[in-house]
Each structure stands twice: as C-alpha cells, then as structure tokens.
Amino acid sequence: MVYLFHGTGGSARFAEKVETTDVLNRLVARGYGFVSTSSTERTGNRRWNAADPSLTTNPDLARLARLQAHIVATTPVEANTPLVGIGMSNGARFVTLWGQSWKNAAYPVKAIWASHGRTADPYEPGGQLTVPTVFSTSKNDFTVAPNGVVGSYLRAHNAGTPSEIYVSQERNLNTAQYQRIPGIDQQKANQIFFSLVATGVWDGQGKRIDPDVQDAAAKALGANMPGAVAPQRNEIDSESLLILAVHQFTAEYANQVIAFFDRYVP
C-alpha cells in the first residue's frame, strides 16, 4: 500500500493531479492500493510536521498511526501488508520522516520516494535514513535546490542505504505535454502553445528564450489562456512548470521508481 504526501499548501487532492494519477494508475495495475490524506495543519501553510520523529508528539505521525490502525481493522489490509510512501516537496521531507519513524516502530515500511525535497533533519546525518529511498529533483528547481536533494541522496547512499536519484531536465515547449490533461485535444493544445509563446518565454519552435528561469515560470503562470481551457488551468500550469524543470512533481521516472519499490516489496 502506498501512502501519498502532498507539498506545502496542498491536500489529499494531490492524488487527483495528472502526474500523480499517472504514477498511481501504474502502481494500482501492479496490485498496490493507496492512501491520500491531508496534513493535520490546515489553517496556515498546510504543511506536514517534518521535524518531530515521535509517533506520539508529532500530530501527523500520530494521526497516520491511527489511520493505519483503522485501515487494518476495517479493510483487507493486514498489519504486515508492505507499505511504501511518495512525497512531494514538504511531503518529500515528511515521507523520509514517516518512513524511518514507522520503520523504527516496526511498521512494514519497505521503500519511499522523496520528490523535490531533502531528507528530514532527524534522519539527514549519514546512517540515520535506512529505508530504501528514491530521490528525485529537477535541474532548474529554485524552490528546493537540486544540490540539497543530491546531498541527501549521497549521505544515504554512502552510508549503505539502497538509494537512487533522478534529475529531470528542461524540455522544449510542446503540445503533447498538454494533451496528457483530460479534456485537452490537439486543437486546445495548440492554443495553449501559442498563448505561452506570446508570453515571450519561448520562441515559435518551443525553445526558451527568457534567460531567467524564475521569470519564465512567473510569466508562464500569468499567461492569458483561451476561455475554453479555463477548467484545466491548474493542470496546464503544472505541466508548464514541468517543462521548465522547476519545482513540480512528475511521472517521468515512474517506471524506475515502481521497479525500485517492487525490489523491496515481497
């Protein structure tokens, strides 16, 4: 079973995003189930507590333990059903805290995926994170520095923890990326392409001409889009950020991550 953890400002609906759904569909096809819930803190930044490793004093870890007990009591999931975790950004830091804290408490956590986030501080020192971990980041991420994620990977890997790392590269603007979104056909994807070219970030061939990737991301998010694609605007923005290889969850390495999970799930 997969536990899914959103980033800052997110919610359980992280599971419904295009890239996340792609990953989950592949996992479900291989026999995994999944749990998506929101962080306990819902009035401020809506972040997971990635600092406290205690299953009693950390409200997120305590609530998730209660949720796990409820799932075991009310579904076919058993106490020894293998668990894996996926987290994005703040959720990436939290998945390392959750995974290691639960493993230390004898929960059957087998592997985790920390996307665009470093290891949580309590387990950052070499040898503290022992759960097999996939780290991923993006070349142009200006929210969580790629070097920090690579550093977390190296500390885990050099201490002997089974680890892999993947770094997404920037892509040219293209229409196929937007056709991943339900309700976006070729015609609408073409309109999106031309709207984004009009921002001055990309040229007519889809090559980025704005030299500042942070400025490029801001302009892409502020692009004027046709009304016909207004219902899909959030997903359009997500795919634009993915193209720029900034701070965005991607299914690009889903097959590699699933193969990693399968290696440690009996």
Side-chain angles (χ1 to χ4, degrees), residues 83-86 98 108-113 131-133 260-261 264-265:
L83 305 176
V84 297
I86 299 172
W98 166 85
V109 177
K110 303 302 182 182
I112 56 176
W113 177 12
V131 180
T133 304
F260 185 88
F261 283 177
Y264 298 101
V265 173

Side-chain angles (χ1 to χ4, degrees), residues 1-2 22-33 254-263 265-266:
M1 189 168 68
V2 183
D22 186 344
V23 174
L24 292 174
N25 283 344
R26 299 188 211 193
L27 284 163
V28 168
R30 296 187 64 81
Y32 289 79
N255 288 338
Q256 292 90 327
V257 173
I258 292 169
F260 185 88
F261 283 177
D262 286 348
R263 202 175 307 150
V265 173

Side-chain angles (χ1 to χ4, degrees), residues 16-76:
E16 301 173 13
K17 293 181 66 64
V18 168
E19 298 293 320
T20 317
T21 299
D22 186 344
V23 174
L24 292 174
N25 283 344
R26 299 188 211 193
L27 284 163
V28 168
R30 296 187 64 81
Y32 289 79
F34 70 91
V35 176
S36 183
T37 185
S38 302
S39 59
T40 304
E41 192 280 295
R42 305 310 297 162
T43 59
N45 292 326
R46 292 174 287 173
R47 292 170 59 89
W48 302 96
N49 181 332
D52 180 3
S54 169
L55 273 63
T56 54
T57 59
N58 183 322
D60 289 314
L61 292 177
R63 183 171 58 85
L64 289 165
R66 295 193 298 271
L67 176 58
Q68 173 71 4
H70 175 74
I71 291 170
V72 169
T74 60
T75 76

Side-chain angles (χ1 to χ4, degrees), residues 139-161:
K139 180 181 179 181
N140 298 328
D141 192 342
F142 52 82
T143 304
V144 177
N147 287 346
V149 178
V150 172
S152 288
Y153 158 73
L154 289 173
R155 278 183 284 278
H157 176 77
N158 292 342
T161 299

Side-chain angles (χ1 to χ4, degrees), residues 96-147:
T96 63
L97 187 85
W98 166 85
Q100 192 63 51
S101 296
W102 273 32
K103 180 181 178 181
N104 292 348
Y107 285 86
V109 177
K110 303 302 182 182
I112 56 176
W113 177 12
S115 170
H116 296 78
R118 298 184 294 107
T119 302
D121 288 344
Y123 301 121
E124 182 69 280
Q128 298 302 304
L129 182 67
T130 62
V131 180
T133 304
V134 175
F135 293 92
S136 63
T137 183
S138 296
K139 180 181 179 181
N140 298 328
D141 192 342
F142 52 82
T143 304
V144 177
N147 287 346

